[in-house]
Amino acid sequence: METTRRTLGRSGIEVSALGLGCWAIGGEWSGPAGEPYGWGAVDDEESVRAIRRAVDLGVDFFDTADNYGTGHSERVLGRALGARRDDVVIATKWGNLFDEEKRAALGVADDSPEYARRALTASLKRLGTDHVDLYQLHIGDADPERAAQLRDTCEEFVREGLIRAYGWSTDDPGRVALFAEGPHCAAVQHRCNVLQDAPRMLALCAELGLASVLRSPLAMGLLTGKFGDGRVPAAGDIRSAPPAWLPGFGTGGGADPEWLGRVDAVRSVLTSGGRSLAQGALAWLWARSPQAVPVPGFRTVAQVEENAGALEYGPLTAGELAEVERILGAVRERDGE
C-alpha cells in the first residue's frame, strides 16, 4: 500500500497515514479538583475550518473521545463534517464519566457493558451519525476480566451495525492481547513519539495485525519546537499544571530542559530534506512502524496544514531512523539512563 494510506488492523478500513486528534478542540474543561484538562480556549469556527481543510488535504481519520471537552469535541467534529461524514473514518472513546453541563470530569470510570451502550448512544447523537468506525475503551488500566466483557459487548455493537471495529486506548501490551482475541478488534491507541518509543507495543501490533493509533506523537507539543524559547502554556492548558502521566513539563508549565535538549540533539536529522520539526517527528513514526497512524492534536488551520504536509515527505529513511536512535542512545547514556 502507498505510504500515505494505512489499513486499521484486521478491519479492512482504510485511512490516511495521518489522523488528527480532537482533544484540543474540545476547549476548556476541568478535572474533579478544578485542574485544567483541556488545552486552553478554542475558537469553534476555526476548529470547523481546520477539520474541513484537513479533509480537503486528504486526511480522513479523526480521533476523539466522549469526554474531550465533556462532549464538545464530538459536537464540533460532527458539525464540521456534516454531509462529508461518509468520506471519513471516525474514532471515539468511552469509559470516563463527566458532567457535560459543568464541563468537568468526575474522576471516575464506568466499565459496565450497560454504560458502554449508553455512552455509544450519546456519542452517536453528538457526532450526528448512525455508526462509529472505531470505538475505543478509554480506561487504560481496566480490570482484564471486565474488559473481556466489554470486548464481547463491542462485538455485539458490530453485529448491530453501531460500530465497524473497536480497540483499546492503553499502554499495557497484556491488555491489548486480551482485546485482540475479539475478531473485530482492529487497533490499540498508545503513546509513542521520538522521545518516548514503545518497542514492545509496536512489536505486538505487528504480531497481532493491529493498527497503532499513536497519541502524543509530538510529545504534547515539545516536538513542534514552540517551547524552545521558554514559552509557557497558558492557564487553562493541561500542560500548565501537568498531571503525573504527562512528562516533559514542569509544575509551572515550562518545558523540561532535559527534554528540550533531546529535541535539539535530533533536530537536524528530523528537519532534513526541508521538513519542519513536527513533520520530521511524524516521519520518524512512519519509519518506525508500518502500522503507525499518528493523531497529532490541532486548534488551527495552520497546524492542520503543517501536519498534513508531512504526508508529502513520507517516512524517514532507514539511515535517518538509525541516526536518530544513535543520537538519543548517546544522550541517554550521558544522562545515566
Side-chain angles (χ1 to χ4, degrees), residues 32 76 84 130 147 150 182 203 215 222-223 234 241 274 282 299 306 323 325:
V76 170
R84 303 184 76 175
D130 62 359
L150 293 174
R215 52 182 162 78
L222 293 177
L223 287 162
L282 296 171
R299 280 188 285 188
E306 180 180 2
E323 179 65 4
E325 180 53 36

Side-chain angles (χ1 to χ4, degrees), residues 22 25-26 29 44 48 51 64-83 85 90-104 115-132 135-136 138 162:
C22 299
I25 66 168
W29 54 301
D44 288 346
V48 167
I51 291 165
T64 186
D66 60 0
N67 67 328
Y68 290 169
T70 62
H72 191 66
S73 174
E74 288 185 329
R75 293 186 188 279
V76 170
L77 180 60
R79 178 162 72 90
L81 293 174
R85 160 65 182 104
I90 294 177
T92 194
K93 312 178 196 74
W94 92 95
N96 294 303
L97 303 186
F98 56 91
D99 186 320
E100 190 165 351
E101 186 175 323
K102 295 181 179 178
R103 292 186 71 91
Y115 179 71
R117 185 172 291 276
R118 292 199 304 273
L120 177 55
T121 300
S123 286
L124 293 173
K125 183 177 180 180
R126 285 189 291 264
L127 289 164
T129 185
D130 62 359
H131 72 281
V132 165
Y135 201 40
Q136 302 160 103
H138 207 185
L162 298 174

